[in-house]
Amino acid sequence: MEIGIVGLPNVGKSTLFNALADANAQASNYPFTTIEPNVGIVAVPDQRLHRLAEIFKPKKTTPASVRFVDIAGLVKGAASGEGLGNKFLSHIREVDAILMVVRLFKDSNVTHVMGGVDPERDIAVIETELILADLASLEKQKEKLFGKAKSGDKESREALESLEAVKAVLDSGRPARSCEISPKVLAGFSLLTSKPVLFVGNTDEVPDPVLVAKLADLAKIRGARALSLCSKIESEISQLNPEERATFLSEMGIKTTGLERVIIAAYEILGLCSYFTAGEDEVRAWTIPVGAKAPQAAGVIHSDFEKGFIRAEVYSFKDISAKDISAHVKEAVLREKGLIRSEGKDYIVKDGDVCFFKFSN
């Protein structure tokens, strides 16, 4: 899963990226500090994985991971080449989802390129540029489809009809993802505004509740998710060792870090979940689409597992997570109770399932 961090210059994108990825991207008070994307691979925090590691005591524990890409700040006119223009748009085209950072903090020492804190205006600027880029992309696609459709090609005619429907939505100022056509058809146009979006408000250390509520409303109108955090605090948290971090979170009354909240929300907007494999050699978390069947889930481990899939032995994390019982005894008890199930090709793997796949070479 790759998530692109975007926003206007000086909204705290790189500071947030550093906090999320525990990286060291440059963050300064002028536009285009980030020119080439910074990439950070982040372990997905999951207490279930740690509990399984306590139970199985494996040689190795491997979490699922997310790639965060810190993309250069977008400015008004990007679709027509202003700022980093096409370079910015090409980078965002490659990600699975967009994390749009919106400035909610007030700091006279950090220049706001648009003149002041106004989340509605800032979101509108970014959305307008993405919509303009998508309209330009559709015009190019239309030219290619028109000739084939005119010659009687049925698929091209249908694609052209869908294209016109998407174009009408974009012309109205709405993102492509709000168009009521098949997600598969929409994905075929590879549009920027068809990607899932998570709005992240970057707040002061004491958030302004009015601005936080406004961002939530703006996201709801767009059928998107929103959360707010202080990237400055998150950056401080990321620099602490685990023991210090736990103490700091407790003292601050913070139950979950910004990283955890961002990843949970990202999984939800992308329709993803996690299952586990567990044994003496390794305990590992795997990311799959919600609704994936057992062979496809096995294929995430290795394509041979999917091709030669025979069956899966499955039980739920909650059935093995009770305290003070060894993994060997637990699995024996689960088997006696019939909680370890043998599932075939049509089984839909659930979030929190622990799976062992059997396949033929």
Side-chain angles (χ1 to χ4, degrees):
M1 178 170 60
E2 188 164 280
I3 300 173
I5 303 177
V6 305
L8 296 174
N10 294 354
V11 298
K13 293 186 297 78
S14 294
T15 303
L16 178 61
F17 173 81
N18 287 336
L20 293 171
D22 195 17
N24 192 27
Q26 188 176 359
S28 302
N29 182 26
Y30 54 88
F32 309 124
T33 302
T34 304
I35 296 176
E36 292 299 329
N38 295 301
V39 179
I41 299 176
V42 183
V44 175
D46 194 326
Q47 293 303 315
R48 298 173 301 182
L49 183 72
H50 299 307
R51 178 62 190 135
L52 287 171
E54 289 176 354
I55 293 168
F56 285 90
K57 296 179 174 54
K59 298 172 184 175
K60 183 179 179 182
T61 301
T62 308
S65 63
V66 177
R67 282 168 58 94
F68 284 103
V69 184
D70 178 23
I71 300 171
L74 179 147
V75 296
K76 190 173 183 179
S80 56
E82 293 294 327
L84 295 176
N86 294 330
K87 195 169 189 178
F88 167 90
L89 298 171
S90 67
H91 292 319
I92 195 173
R93 208 174 290 281
E94 297 171 4
V95 302
D96 299 306
I98 297 171
L99 190 162
M100 190 183 297
V101 182
V102 182
R103 180 168 170 170
L104 301 184
F105 68 89
K106 301 169 185 177
D107 187 341
S108 59
N109 294 318
V110 180
T111 305
H112 194 304
V113 294
M114 298 297 291
V117 175
D118 185 342
E120 185 169 10
R121 177 205 58 210
D122 293 356
I123 289 172
V125 169
I126 296 173
E127 284 187 333
T128 297
E129 295 307 320
L130 298 183
I131 286 171
L132 289 173
D134 280 349
L135 284 169
S137 176
L138 285 183
E139 282 301 320
K140 293 178 181 179
Q141 295 182 57
K142 184 177 179 179
E143 290 175 11
K144 294 179 181 180
L145 288 171
F146 188 76
K148 293 181 181 180
K150 195 173 180 181
S151 66
D153 183 76
K154 183 181 177 183
E155 287 186 6
S156 295
R157 282 203 310 270
E158 291 174 350
L160 197 57
E161 288 175 5
S162 297
L163 184 150
E164 292 294 350
V166 177
K167 184 175 181 299
V169 167
L170 293 172
D171 282 333
S172 71
R174 293 179 293 142
R177 62 182 170 276
S178 62
C179 184
E180 295 181 359
I181 65 171
S182 161
K184 185 176 181 180
V185 172
L186 182 59
F189 295 118
S190 300
L191 300 175
L192 300 173
T193 62
S194 66
K195 297 179 184 293
V197 174
L198 172 64
F199 293 101
V200 176
N202 187 11
T203 71
D204 291 301
E205 291 187 31
V206 179
D208 183 330
V210 174
L211 290 174
V212 169
K214 186 170 186 178
L215 180 64
D217 289 340
L218 291 168
K220 188 175 181 180
I221 291 169
R222 291 162 171 77
R225 291 285 307 276
L227 59 86
S228 294
L229 52 79
C230 176
S231 61
K232 183 179 178 182
I233 291 178
E234 296 298 333
S235 183
E236 291 173 359
I237 292 172
S238 71
Q239 301 302 311
L240 302 175
N241 64 44
E243 187 176 332
E244 291 173 331
R245 188 175 302 181
T247 301
F248 180 83
L249 292 174
S250 177
E251 290 176 351
M252 293 290 292
I254 300 173
K255 294 182 179 179
T256 54
T257 65
L259 169 61
E260 293 170 318
R261 293 166 59 211
V262 166
I263 290 179
I264 290 169
Y267 263 55
E268 290 175 356
I269 66 172
L270 283 167
L272 301 173
C273 64
S274 296
Y275 79 88
F276 306 97
T277 50
E280 293 180 359
D281 289 332
E282 184 180 29
V283 167
R284 183 162 182 166
W286 304 88
T287 301
I288 57 171
V290 171
K293 292 184 177 179
Q296 287 72 53
V300 173
I301 300 175
H302 197 288
S303 58
D304 287 349
F305 284 27
E306 181 173 2
K307 292 175 185 175
F309 179 87
I310 298 173
R311 68 179 183 275
E313 291 193 347
V314 183
Y315 56 89
S316 173
F317 166 78
K318 65 183 181 181
D319 291 329
I320 200 174
S321 60
K323 295 181 179 180
D324 304 324
I325 306 177
S326 71
H328 175 73
V329 172
K330 278 177 174 290
E331 289 196 341
V333 170
L334 292 178
R335 214 172 280 280
E336 287 174 10
K337 293 182 176 180
L339 293 174
I340 295 183
R341 312 178 308 278
S342 181
E343 302 286 0
K345 293 182 177 181
D346 292 329
Y347 176 70
I348 296 175
V349 176
K350 311 284 191 308
D351 182 57
D353 275 353
V354 182
C355 302
F356 176 77
F357 299 106
K358 295 193 175 183
F359 69 102
S360 60
N361 294 321

